[in-house]
Amino acid sequence: GEEVAQTPKHLVRGEGQKAKLYCAPIKGHSYVFWYQQVLKNEFKFLISFQNENVFDETGMPKERFSAKCLPNSPCSLEIQATKLEDSAVYFCASSQSTARYNEQFFGPGTRLTVL
Amino acid sequence: DQQVKQNSPSLSVQEGRISILNCDYTNSMFDYFLWYKKYPAEGPTFLISISSIKDKNEDGRFTVFLNKSAKHLSLHIVPSQPGDSAVYFCAASGGNYGQNFVFGPGTRLSVLP
């Protein structure tokens, strides 16, 4: 598609439950990025993919968070055993490359609320 | 440790006047800077960028100025329009962050008719 699509728009989970977020990058874009925005503060980089391969995961919490980008499927970000502090808006972005001069196109975000 | 700072959480400007949004950074290895604009319930959209080899980049009503010695950049919008009302994020990349962007906390601009 011409836009980055993210589903669902809103997700509510009880503490300890699993949360799974999806992202469909723009067609033809090889790179996908996930960001976390807590309380309208700055975007925290989580992980990036080049096609189905992890490109950079330096921002991913070591526990509970995992992500995949499989061929012919939306990319996913999964949080096992959610905690209150995971409440945030999770943005996905895609670009044609990771070269800095290549613009990242952002999706509308998924708002995760952990109760 | 916030490496990209936007010290003004909000800014109000009259329509037709100039809006100046400021951004400071601490990492001298950053060499590429971008501004993103975000409306409520939408993802950020790219606005304008500047490489550290330049000190100014202009695109229509939007101009970004970079002062490397002061580790400061600013976004000027002239003339401001009500449709410019949004949250503006400054982002930087380079050094240990490579291609990843480090975002500031954003400044909410309100352009009053």
Side-chain angles (χ1 to χ4, degrees):
Chain A
E2 294 294 321
E3 295 180 339
V4 176
Q6 288 189 250
T7 54
K9 275 191 175 177
H10 304 279
L11 189 58
V12 179
R13 287 289 179 266
E15 210 173 359
Q17 290 186 315
K18 183 174 78 175
K20 196 163 184 178
L21 294 64
Y22 297 92
C23 168
I26 291 174
K27 198 174 179 182
H29 283 191
S30 307
Y31 293 85
V32 170
F33 306 80
W34 284 99
Y35 293 88
Q36 179 195 54
Q37 187 193 27
V38 176
L39 292 176
K40 297 187 179 180
N41 289 329
E42 67 253 40
F43 293 71
K44 180 193 169 195
F45 167 77
L46 294 176
I47 189 169
S48 60
F49 287 84
Q50 178 185 8
N51 296 313
E52 60 266 27
N53 303 308
V54 174
F55 188 78
D56 183 339
E57 57 182 348
T58 51
M60 277 290 263
K62 298 280 187 255
E63 299 171 350
R64 303 185 300 107
F65 282 66
S66 63
K68 290 179 193 174
C69 276
L70 300 176
N72 303 313
S73 296
C75 296
S76 63
L77 176 69
E78 190 168 327
I79 309 173
Q80 302 285 343
T82 52
K83 296 184 177 180
L84 295 176
E85 68 244 34
D86 299 331
S87 294
V89 181
Y90 291 82
F91 288 96
C92 171
S94 72
S95 74
Q96 290 181 319
S97 83
T98 56
R100 278 173 267 160
Y101 312 104
N102 264 263
E103 177 188 343
Q104 291 184 20
F105 292 82
F106 282 78
T110 292
R111 179 178 296 279
L112 172 65
T113 303
V114 181
L115 304 174
Chain B
D1 177 26
Q2 207 172 60
Q3 299 210 40
V4 178
K5 302 176 187 181
Q6 294 176 256
N7 292 322
S8 298
S10 62
L11 175 69
S12 291
V13 168
Q14 209 67 36
E15 182 178 4
R17 306 293 289 267
I18 184 171
S19 295
I20 299 177
L21 295 98
N22 293 304
C23 176
D24 296 287
Y25 59 96
T26 58
N27 190 334
S28 57
M29 298 299 289
F30 286 147
D31 60 0
Y32 189 63
F33 305 89
L34 308 93
W35 285 93
Y36 276 83
K37 175 179 172 180
K38 185 181 180 304
Y39 292 116
E42 294 183 12
T45 54
F46 172 75
L47 197 56
I48 193 168
S49 64
I50 188 166
S51 162
S52 60
I53 61 172
K54 291 185 169 185
D55 52 22
K56 177 182 172 182
N57 189 23
E58 195 171 347
D59 183 3
R61 296 185 297 113
F62 302 91
T63 304
V64 56
F65 295 92
L66 175 62
N67 182 334
K68 290 186 288 292
S69 60
K71 297 195 187 73
H72 175 84
L73 61 154
S74 59
L75 174 68
H76 292 211
I77 307 173
V78 182
S80 302
Q81 298 173 353
D84 297 329
S85 297
V87 179
Y88 290 79
F89 291 92
C90 170
S93 71
N96 289 341
Y97 291 91
Q99 298 93 338
N100 294 332
F101 298 140
V102 179
F103 283 81
T107 295
R108 180 178 301 279
L109 173 66
S110 299
V111 180
L112 308 172

